[in-house]
Amino acid sequence: LVPCSGLLLCFAFGLDQVQALGVLFIACAPGGIYSNLTVFFTGGDVALSLLITILTNALAVFTMPTSLFLTTSAYASQTGGVSV
């Protein structure tokens, strides 16, 4: 969902290739640990939040390259290529 949103932002703002690549890289990266801190301060289920953070970071080894490939391919097909 977030990589698709990043791709739409790149198209909406007409970013150049280097800026678009940066946005797509950040959009494909897994979430940080600040969600766990937020859950702790709001009284949520910290154990569940930690489990989800651990799983998403472990799966990022596979999902991040795949998401980057798909989003940059879609961007390149619409803009005539991505070269850095």
Side-chain angles (χ1 to χ4, degrees), residues 56-84:
T56 57
N57 284 326
L59 291 174
V61 174
F62 305 105
T63 59
M64 191 169 170
T66 304
S67 298
L68 273 172
F69 175 75
L70 293 174
T71 54
T72 54
S73 297
Y75 187 77
S77 68
Q78 294 294 323
T79 61
V82 175
S83 62
V84 178

Side-chain angles (χ1 to χ4, degrees), residues 23-45:
V23 169
L24 293 175
F25 187 78
I26 296 299
C28 291
I33 61 169
Y34 293 109
S35 63
N36 302 325
L37 192 61
T38 304
V39 168
F40 174 74
F41 284 130
T42 58
D45 190 351

